[in-house]
């Protein structure tokens, strides 16, 4: 096929954030905007580069996905890529894409998603590059992509007819191969190898009154949920809802938390559902929620780690080490300590777990932002976490019938104590105000540090404070300024950082954590338990003064 080189002009701001480039659809629709970014991505591909490579392509099916895929096909062909493996109709959940990259030994993948951000012509789109281990590109690669976008004066394409993405099969045009694959098969197969499906099925049979409800929030997980929960695990069709992926997610936020997953929360409460769960737009997040029992994600990963021995995958491979992102509560650290496992604290974003997994030092990890996963792939995995919980409940019930989410949590607190945790998000704050607040905090922990350490606010005395810096133990790369941490003498802490996934203005994230070994507090309401600490966080950060915001947009 003849290659055409098209002259273009670089766009500002094509800098991948925590998880790829995320912008309004209208921005991606600008002339050559998407073409430029794909060209820069292919240019930045780690050695041996784009030429003759194989790439996996797919996403959460949001608005503009199919147009973007046609662009990717043409630009990939123009750059000598030899093969694209594309999910049917462009659909691949983020974990399914990670799995395919690994299974098919592809050189990388291009994932089209803005995760939990709303979709549709006036909302968000995103493009993320994953490397050959199946995980999000490390900063060395994303920085290089950004550098290439800044000097992108030309991109290369092959003019070819639109490719039909709905027909499974292989087609080769002049040595360039496009394979359209079933979006669900390989992923379902993977989960069947990891978990004890027979045990879970048996548990459902023995407990016909144990109600399960999965909510796909009209994101990409619908077809995965149908296959796994209904066809494989034998649940009724009424056990899943909102499982038709829609390009605009039905007009809401496909974000599994108590605010945005209200369609799930309401039915769980009304119908006394024992086990409720939801996933986000691209399928890498999860929320576990039973009647009167919300599992905070920091606890979720700790519980999975504590019970890992009932999961066949970990029976075979052993648990090599545990990890969490810095703002995530230290609940999992306590599990690591008890089990004598290595524990790692990395910056926010799944890309930081990959090296540890590749080096065989990390098996189970999580983020407070409803992200949980393991080294079975290199992305967090919503459906994996949900089935992990079901596997644990099924196994525990063999010995102690009647145990549900709440009992598992309380038992966990009895053994390890409870880490109360909450996050306050202030969305679409004016960037200037947010930056000023961060400057103020950096001053407190920098030049003003001598005054700040030892100072008392309410019942809390500052013990340590810093801006989190991470040195990757495997490749030695250093990531600075990953969030301001203020740790108090009683072990409580607050963390403040700016989001790297927003598409408009700045989002301030305020994280608070308090540890308790007081049994009478284990059933307390999180917000009540954390109120004094939140007040102190607002006082120290002067958040309201800088931003004019009296209340957060979302509390998780
Ligand atoms: C947020 C979360 C982070 C997560 C990232 C991607 O990033 O805090 O924990 O890894 O989203 O998740 P930030 O920079 O906005 O805080 V997803 O489901 O968007 O791929
Ligand atoms: Co996501």
């Amino acid at each position: 096929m003849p290659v055409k080189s098209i002259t273009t002009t670089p766009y500002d701001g094509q800098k991948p954030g925590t998880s790829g480039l995320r912008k309004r659809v209208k921005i991606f629709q600008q002339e050559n905007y998407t073409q430029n970014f794909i060209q820069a991505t292919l240019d930045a591909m780690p050695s041996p580069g784009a030429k003759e490579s194989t790439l996996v392509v797919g996403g959460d099916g949001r608005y503009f996905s199919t147009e973007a895929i046609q662009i990717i096909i043409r630009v990939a062909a123009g750059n000598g890529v030899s093969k694209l493996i594309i999910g049917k109709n462009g659909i691949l959940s983020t974990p399914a894409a990670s799995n395919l990259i690994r299974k098919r030994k592809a050189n990388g993948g291009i994932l089209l998603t803005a995760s939990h951000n709303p979709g549709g012509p006036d909302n968000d789109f995103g493009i993320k590059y994953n490397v050959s281990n199946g995980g999000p590109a490390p900063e060395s690669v994303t920085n290089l992509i950004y550098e290439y976008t800044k000097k992108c004066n030309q991109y290369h394409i092959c003019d070819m007819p639109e490719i039909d993405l709905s027909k499974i099969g292989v087609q080769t045009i002049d040595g360039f191969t496009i394979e359209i694959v079933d979006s669900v098969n390989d992923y379902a197969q993977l989960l069947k190898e990891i978990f004890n499906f027979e045990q879970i099925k048996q548990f459902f049979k023995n407990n016909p009154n144990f109600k399960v409800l999965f909510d796909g929030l009209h994101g990409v997980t619908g077809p995965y949920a149908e296959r796994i929960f209904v066809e494989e695990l034998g649940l009724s069709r009424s056990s899943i809802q909102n499982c038709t992926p829609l390009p605009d997610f039905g007009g809401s936020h496909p974000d599994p938390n108590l605010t945005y997953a209200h369609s799930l929360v309401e039915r769980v409460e009304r119908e006394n559902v024992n086990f409720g769960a939801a996933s986000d737009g691209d399928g890498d997040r999860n929320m576990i929620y039973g009647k009167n029992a919300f599992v905070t994600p920091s606890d979720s990963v700790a519980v999975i780690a504590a019970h890992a021995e009932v999961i066949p995958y970990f029976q075979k491979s052993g648990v090599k080490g545990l990890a969490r992102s810095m703002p995530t509560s230290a609940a999992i650290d306590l599990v690591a300590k008890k089990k004598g496992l290595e524990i790692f604290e990395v910056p926010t974003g799944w890309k930081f777990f990959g090296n540890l997994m590749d080096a065989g030092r990390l098996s189970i990890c999580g983020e407070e932002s409803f992200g949980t996963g393991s080294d079975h792939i290199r992305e967090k995995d919503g459906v994996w976490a949900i089935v992990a919980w079901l596997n644990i409940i099924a196994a525990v019930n063999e010995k102690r019938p009647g145990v549900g989410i709440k009992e598992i949590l309380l038992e966990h607190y009895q053994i390890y104590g409870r880490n109360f945790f909450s996050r306050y998000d202030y969305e679409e704050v004016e960037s200037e105000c947010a930056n000023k607040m961060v400057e103020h905090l950096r001053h407190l922990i920098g030049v003003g540090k001598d005054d700040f350490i030892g100072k008392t606010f309410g019942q809390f005395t500052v013990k340590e404070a810093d801006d989190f810096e991470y040195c990757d133990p495997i490749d030695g790369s250093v990531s600075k300024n990953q969030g301001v941490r203020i740790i108090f003498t009683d072990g409580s802490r607050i963390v403040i950082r700016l989001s790297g996934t927003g598409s408009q203005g700045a989002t301030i994230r305020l994280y608070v954590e308090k540890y308790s070994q007081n049994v009478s507090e284990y059933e307390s309401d999180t917000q009540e338990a954390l109120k004094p600490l939140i007040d102190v966080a607002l006082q120290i950060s002067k958040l309201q003064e800088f931003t004019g915001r009296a209340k957060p947009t979302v509390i998780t």
Side-chain angles (χ1 to χ4, degrees), residues 298-299 301-303 305-306 322-324 328-344 412-420 491 513-517 522:
S298 300
D299 281 352
V301 67
V303 166
L322 306 176
R324 62 172 167 85
T328 305
S329 97
I332 190 170
D333 300 37
L334 300 171
V335 177
K337 199 167 166 212
K338 186 154 194 284
K339 297 196 173 230
L341 295 169
E342 249 193 313
I343 175 88
F344 302 92
H412 191 87
Y413 302 155
Q414 300 286 348
I415 299 171
Y416 297 97
R418 177 166 179 188
N419 295 72
F420 286 97
E513 176 182 359
K514 180 190 112 159
Y515 179 62
S516 166
Q517 269 186 307
Y522 289 168

Side-chain angles (χ1 to χ4, degrees), residues 467-488:
D467 200 339
F468 183 61
E469 185 176 307
Y470 178 66
C471 177
D472 186 305
I474 311 302
D475 67 13
S477 59
V478 175
S479 306
K480 294 187 175 168
N481 302 329
Q482 297 295 316
V484 171
R485 304 192 283 187
I486 302 170
I487 301 165
F488 300 97

Side-chain angles (χ1 to χ4, degrees), residues 2-6 35 39 71 74-79 155-159:
V3 176
K4 276 204 222 163
S5 294
I6 312 280
Q35 285 86 339
Q39 180 65 50
I71 292 172
R74 290 149 53 104
V75 178
N79 282 274
Y155 63 85
H156 315 290
I157 57 161
C158 285
D159 251 337

Side-chain angles (χ1 to χ4, degrees), residues 46 52 106 108 157 186 276 337 353 363 418 437 546 550:
E52 290 172 17
I157 57 161
D186 295 280
K337 199 167 166 212
F353 295 124
S363 298
R418 177 166 179 188
M437 191 198 72
F546 282 110

Side-chain angles (χ1 to χ4, degrees), residues 71-319:
I71 292 172
I72 291 168
I73 292 172
R74 290 149 53 104
V75 178
N79 282 274
V81 169
S82 73
K83 181 170 184 181
L84 295 180
I85 300 170
I86 308 178
K88 186 180 168 191
N89 295 320
I91 294 280
L92 282 177
S93 75
T94 292
S98 182
N99 177 46
L100 262 186
I101 295 170
R102 294 169 69 74
K103 192 165 176 180
R104 303 290 292 270
K105 299 198 165 42
N107 301 78
I110 301 177
L111 279 58
L112 306 167
T113 171
S115 185
H116 50 289
N117 293 9
D122 297 319
N123 288 307
D124 289 1
F125 189 71
I127 303 180
K128 178 164 90 158
Y129 182 68
N130 280 27
V131 290
S132 60
N133 74 352
E139 281 185 331
S140 56
V141 175
T142 55
N143 289 340
L144 199 57
I145 294 177
Y146 182 46
E147 291 310 312
Y148 278 114
T149 65
K150 289 196 270 187
K151 48 184 188 215
C152 183
N153 294 312
Q154 220 183 34
Y155 63 85
H156 315 290
I157 57 161
C158 285
D159 251 337
M160 45 201 291
E162 195 156 294
I163 300 295
D164 181 354
L165 303 175
S166 70
K167 284 202 190 77
I168 290 179
V170 182
Q171 43 187 309
T172 300
I173 314 161
D174 257 2
F176 176 60
T177 303
I178 296 172
E179 180 179 353
I180 310 284
V181 297
D182 181 275
S183 315
V184 180
N185 278 345
D186 295 280
Y187 180 79
Q189 183 58 37
L190 174 72
L191 288 203
K192 282 172 77 174
E193 286 160 18
I194 293 173
F195 296 110
N196 192 337
F197 273 47
E198 282 314 312
Q199 191 174 37
I200 303 172
K201 270 200 273 194
Q202 195 56 46
F203 168 72
F204 289 147
K205 265 195 207 128
N206 296 347
N207 298 274
N209 295 327
F210 187 91
K211 282 193 201 161
V212 175
L213 180 62
F214 171 82
D215 195 324
L217 302 177
H218 290 303
V220 75
T221 42
Y224 298 85
E226 198 167 321
R227 172 77 66 85
I228 288 158
F229 299 123
V230 179
E231 289 169 32
E232 296 286 350
L233 293 173
L235 289 171
S236 69
R237 216 148 268 278
S238 60
S239 302
I240 63 173
Q241 68 176 8
N242 300 325
C243 278
T244 311
L246 297 174
D248 68 346
F249 310 111
S252 42
H253 286 251
D255 197 359
N257 59 43
L258 294 180
T259 306
Y260 293 127
H262 51 86
S263 49
L264 172 82
V265 172
E266 278 154 25
R267 260 190 78 189
V268 165
E269 293 301 331
R270 200 175 52 233
E271 297 172 25
N272 292 322
V273 171
N274 303 76
F275 187 94
S279 190
D280 70 334
D282 63 324
D284 56 356
R285 297 186 178 205
N286 76 94
M287 175 172 74
I288 308 289
Y289 180 72
K291 169 114 178 147
N292 296 327
F294 166 67
V295 185
T296 197
S298 300
D299 281 352
S300 180
V301 67
V303 166
I304 293 174
H307 292 269
E309 69 280 356
V310 306
I311 295 170
Y313 178 87
F314 298 117
Q315 287 164 358
K316 268 180 241 135
S317 68
V319 177

